[in-house]
Amino acid sequence: MCSTDLPADGAGLRAAVADAATALMRVGALVQAGAVSDVSGVRAAGLAGELLGALGVGDAAAAVLGRRADRSLELRAAGFASLRSYLITGVGLSRGHANAVVARGRSLETYPATRGAVLSGEVGLDAARVISEKVEHAICDLTEETKRAKRAEGEAVLLPLARALTVDDVATAGDKLTEVLDPQGRAERALRRFELQSLTLARVGDHYVVNGALPVDTGAGLVTILEAMVDQKFRSGSLREDEQPTGDDAADARR
């Protein structure tokens, strides 16, 4: 965590942003001039890590600033319909990048503890994204009033993990979050998935028409059985000569 003697006000923020922009331009100039060749591979990796961490803090700060601008509606007076419009037209971002900045600002506003952890450099933006996505997925069936309390509860579960584990580990833990935040909803969704599964076979002339919807694990088992049958048919030589795939695309045709 970095400390600063700059005042915690608008003037201090403007000065810090200016300093950061100048520092990044200098980094770019040094890399362009060939300074990379003067550091070892291990040191280069370390510098890359430091830079990515700082850029993550910068991205988060930019998203928070953008959210402030979007909520103020003052951009309209400057000729921009929204923050998204400003980022695309005024800054030159792609539509996808602009959408990501807007979404990040909203997410960090919704999850204040995570926002603080990102802005202080304790966790990265990828971890913050996983936290918000997993919590939102876990509470998707709850009422809006209930969601507010459950968001804080889910954040309290995942944020400490994000400080100690990899992003993938946090995502794995997040997959189980529904059991904590909405156990009844999890059971109901499992029941709905069970009720929706089906498999029908109807004979039409000398063919069978197959229709169905299966859970992933059941469908994977069926695919395994069918692939084994097809493999056996190819190995046994029971296909007619004109049915045998040949050439470079034989493997794809077999599948």
Side-chain angles (χ1 to χ4, degrees):
M1 186 182 299
C2 297
S3 61
T4 176
D5 295 329
L6 292 174
D9 55 20
L13 180 58
R14 288 191 294 272
V17 170
D19 289 344
T22 299
L24 285 173
M25 293 300 293
R26 178 165 171 75
V27 169
L30 288 168
V31 171
Q32 175 65 16
V36 172
S37 61
D38 289 335
V39 297
S40 68
V42 173
R43 184 55 180 154
L47 291 173
E50 289 181 40
L51 188 57
L52 288 170
L55 290 174
V57 173
D59 283 347
V64 172
L65 286 167
R67 183 61 176 159
R68 161 74 177 90
D70 214 12
R71 289 176 66 88
S72 73
L73 304 180
E74 295 171 8
L75 286 173
R76 293 182 179 179
F80 301 99
S82 64
L83 173 64
R84 183 182 292 103
S85 173
Y86 170 75
L87 293 174
I88 293 172
T89 307
V91 180
L93 300 188
S94 68
R95 186 175 301 275
H97 193 173
N99 288 339
V101 173
V102 172
R104 186 178 301 135
R106 290 174 178 168
S107 175
L108 291 175
E109 181 180 59
T110 304
Y111 293 90
T114 300
R115 179 183 66 229
V118 174
L119 290 175
S120 63
E122 295 176 44
V123 303
L125 275 178
D126 286 347
R129 174 184 54 79
V130 167
I131 290 171
S132 63
E133 287 179 355
K134 295 301 181 180
V135 173
E136 291 300 322
H137 177 75
I139 63 176
C140 63
D141 289 334
L142 299 176
T143 64
E144 287 303 318
E145 183 178 353
T146 306
K147 283 181 179 180
R148 284 192 286 272
K150 292 294 183 178
R151 283 190 180 103
E153 187 178 337
E155 185 180 36
V157 171
L158 294 184
L159 182 54
L161 298 180
R163 292 189 174 102
L165 304 175
T166 68
V167 175
D168 289 341
D169 289 336
V170 176
T172 299
D175 290 335
K176 306 295 184 182
L177 203 56
T178 305
E179 301 174 9
V180 177
L181 302 182
D182 186 19
Q184 181 178 351
R186 178 179 179 272
E188 290 174 353
R189 283 194 293 274
L191 180 59
R192 285 199 298 270
R193 286 195 299 269
F194 176 80
E195 291 174 341
L196 288 173
Q197 66 180 348
S198 64
L199 185 65
T200 60
L201 293 88
R203 184 167 182 173
V204 180
D206 58 352
H207 291 81
Y208 275 94
V209 176
V210 182
N211 256 314
L214 299 173
V216 172
D217 52 351
T218 305
L222 178 59
V223 168
T224 300
I225 294 171
L226 293 175
E227 287 180 342
M229 293 173 64
V230 171
D231 285 343
Q232 178 60 33
K233 196 170 186 180
F234 273 89
R235 285 196 298 269
S236 68
S238 60
L239 291 180
R240 299 191 309 270
E241 184 175 348
D242 61 339
E243 291 178 326
Q244 294 283 359
T246 59
D248 295 336
D249 298 328
D252 290 335
R254 175 176 172 173
R255 282 193 292 270

